[in-house]
Amino acid sequence: MTAAAGPTRAERRRNTEQRILAAARELFAERGFERTTIRAVASAAQVDPALVMQYFGSKQELFSQAVRISVAGAEDRPRTGGPEALTDSLLASLGMKIGGLPEASLAMLRSMLTHPEAAEAARATLDRQITGLAAAMSAGHEADHEAQDARLHAALAVATTVGVTIGHQLLGLEDLRRASPEEIAAALRPALQALVTGAAHSR
């Protein structure tokens, strides 16, 4: 009976790359970009540091691949509906974040204040969210000042959810950690709904 063939060289390389990326994602999420070293990633992935450099070339490229998030994720889905539905959408999004962000998202958040690429990636993601929310808030209204009002209110709503996420996930604020997602959503609902409906009322 012929023995089953082992993994090919290409398969072994892919497996090693994925192991390195998983280790890097975990360390970037825990320590941020500046405090994560190639040596630490190699140790966590149980490979030689030279192999990490051979596969990825630099810590910068390793970070880029480790935190790469699909632009078709839930955060970029179009928002639709009236103020109540938009508020529900924002709160559902926040619930997913404080329920436990993926390590790639945590790595980006933890690194964005000290690493330019992480900051730019976070800014681009948030800008897409603001654009989508503002479009839903200003649907049917074409005036430039109305669109500007909607973008401001959308930016404030998105910034509010980001602030809560950072306080809960990165800073570990005790009062946020102690509250359930439902309690946080109930407390935030009036503020977010005021921002969503405020764009309409300011026209």
Side-chain angles (χ1 to χ4, degrees):
M1 190 173 187
T2 305
T8 66
R9 182 176 178 181
E11 289 170 337
R12 288 197 302 272
R13 179 186 174 99
R14 279 196 300 273
N15 290 339
T16 302
E17 284 180 344
Q18 290 306 309
R19 197 164 73 249
I20 292 170
L21 285 172
R25 204 171 286 121
E26 182 176 347
L27 289 173
F28 283 131
E30 178 186 331
R31 305 177 183 180
F33 180 85
E34 299 297 336
R35 294 177 56 234
T36 297
T37 65
I38 292 293
R39 187 173 295 279
V41 171
S43 176
Q46 299 183 319
V47 299
D48 190 278
L51 191 61
V52 178
M53 294 302 289
Q54 178 184 330
Y55 282 5
F56 297 96
S58 66
K59 187 168 82 165
Q60 173 72 51
E61 181 59 26
L62 177 62
F63 178 82
S64 298
Q65 294 198 38
V67 303
R68 186 169 293 147
I69 302 172
S70 170
V71 296
E75 286 300 318
D76 292 316
R77 290 174 186 165
R79 298 187 191 273
T80 58
E84 188 72 29
L86 292 174
T87 302
D88 287 343
S89 176
L90 285 166
L91 290 172
S93 169
L94 178 62
M96 287 189 293
K97 292 172 183 173
I98 63 178
L101 282 170
E103 284 181 337
S105 299
L106 276 175
M108 186 177 294
L109 280 177
R110 197 175 294 281
S111 302
M112 68 183 183
L113 297 181
T114 59
H115 185 53
E117 179 170 322
E120 183 55 38
R123 190 158 40 243
T125 297
L126 295 176
D127 189 62
R128 288 194 301 272
Q129 294 175 30
I130 291 166
T131 297
L133 181 58
M137 289 162 61
S138 61
H141 300 270
E142 302 298 332
D144 287 345
H145 72 277
E146 292 168 350
Q148 290 171 1
D149 286 343
R151 283 197 66 86
L152 174 59
H153 284 77
L156 289 169
V158 169
T160 298
T161 64
V162 171
V164 173
T165 303
I166 290 173
H168 188 281
Q169 291 290 305
L170 298 188
L171 300 180
L173 295 179
E174 183 179 349
D175 294 292
L176 291 178
R177 286 287 192 175
R178 193 165 48 221
S180 69
E182 292 76 19
E183 289 173 321
I184 292 173
L188 267 183
R189 178 178 290 278
L192 291 177
Q193 189 148 11
L195 286 170
V196 172
T197 58
H201 292 161
S202 65
R203 292 178 188 126

